[in-house]
Amino acid sequence: MTAVELNEAPLAHYARIEFGLFFEVGSFMEPIRGTLNGYLVAEHDGDPVGGVGWKPDPFGVPDVVWLIWGYLHPAKQRRGIGTVLFDELERHLAGLGARKFYLDVGNEKEKAGAVNFCEKRGYVREGVLKDYWRAGEDFTIYAKELRPA
């Protein structure tokens, strides 16, 4: 498995064709252009199997980054691909000077696998915004301090 950094056109293609995610090129990139933003796609035998995207903190904290989406094909889960992808992501962000990385796992009871994955990687639950996305769908915040590269 390799993690490759992509510009927005190939990423939108991967997201749309391979993962069923529908992003318009430019529409989701515009608000996050800058140093601490980007995307990594996991490839296995040359085929995309997952990816992550991140952006700078919306409040302007210079060394804080948020995961804005992540996906790993269900048939490829529990094979170490997510671990390799997050290893590369965290190394990349630390190399850019990011101090802290946040992500939303959604409803903890429904996303037990994501919670377990985060906790095994050293992420700590820092808060829950109840019914944030809509009634019954929480915004559960996990965070990790990144070590300088």
Side-chain angles (χ1 to χ4, degrees), residues 61 63-65 86 89-91 93-94 97-103 118 121-126 142-149:
V61 179
D63 55 357
V64 170
V65 181
F86 265 72
L89 170 64
E90 293 167 8
R91 186 173 26 259
L93 293 176
R99 169 184 57 86
K100 197 162 189 180
F101 185 55
Y102 287 97
L103 56 89
C118 289
R121 297 197 56 76
Y123 287 77
V124 176
R125 180 178 179 256
E126 292 198 355
Y142 275 75
K144 183 175 184 176
E145 295 280 340
L146 300 176
R147 297 197 168 113

Side-chain angles (χ1 to χ4, degrees), residues 80-94:
I81 295 170
T83 296
V84 172
L85 186 60
F86 265 72
D87 285 348
E88 180 61 27
L89 170 64
E90 293 167 8
R91 186 173 26 259
H92 182 77
L93 293 176

Side-chain angles (χ1 to χ4, degrees), residues 10-60:
L11 177 70
H13 170 76
Y14 277 143
R16 185 171 42 256
I17 303 302
E18 304 296 339
F19 309 143
L21 303 173
F22 295 92
F23 297 117
E24 294 298 321
V25 173
S27 67
F28 71 108
M29 290 289 290
E30 195 57 40
I32 59 170
R33 293 190 192 283
T35 304
L36 289 177
N37 71 71
Y39 302 88
L40 289 174
V41 171
E43 292 183 341
H44 182 71
D45 294 332
D47 295 321
V49 295
V52 291
W54 64 91
K55 69 177 182 176
D57 180 69
F59 299 105

Side-chain angles (χ1 to χ4, degrees), residues 55-134:
K55 69 177 182 176
D57 180 69
F59 299 105
V61 179
D63 55 357
V64 170
V65 181
W66 284 82
L67 182 78
I68 55 172
W69 67 271
Y71 178 81
L72 184 58
H73 191 285
K76 301 295 183 182
Q77 293 176 5
R78 306 208 186 292
R79 296 183 183 191
I81 295 170
T83 296
V84 172
L85 186 60
F86 265 72
D87 285 348
E88 180 61 27
L89 170 64
E90 293 167 8
R91 186 173 26 259
H92 182 77
L93 293 176
L96 292 174
R99 169 184 57 86
K100 197 162 189 180
F101 185 55
Y102 287 97
L103 56 89
D104 165 27
V105 299
N107 291 325
E108 291 175 292
K109 291 178 184 173
E110 296 171 9
K111 305 282 179 73
V115 169
N116 186 45
F117 179 81
C118 289
E119 290 176 346
K120 282 184 177 180
R121 297 197 56 76
Y123 287 77
V124 176
R125 180 178 179 256
E126 292 198 355
V128 177
L129 302 176
K130 300 296 279 178
D131 300 324
Y132 181 84
W133 299 109
R134 64 179 162 262

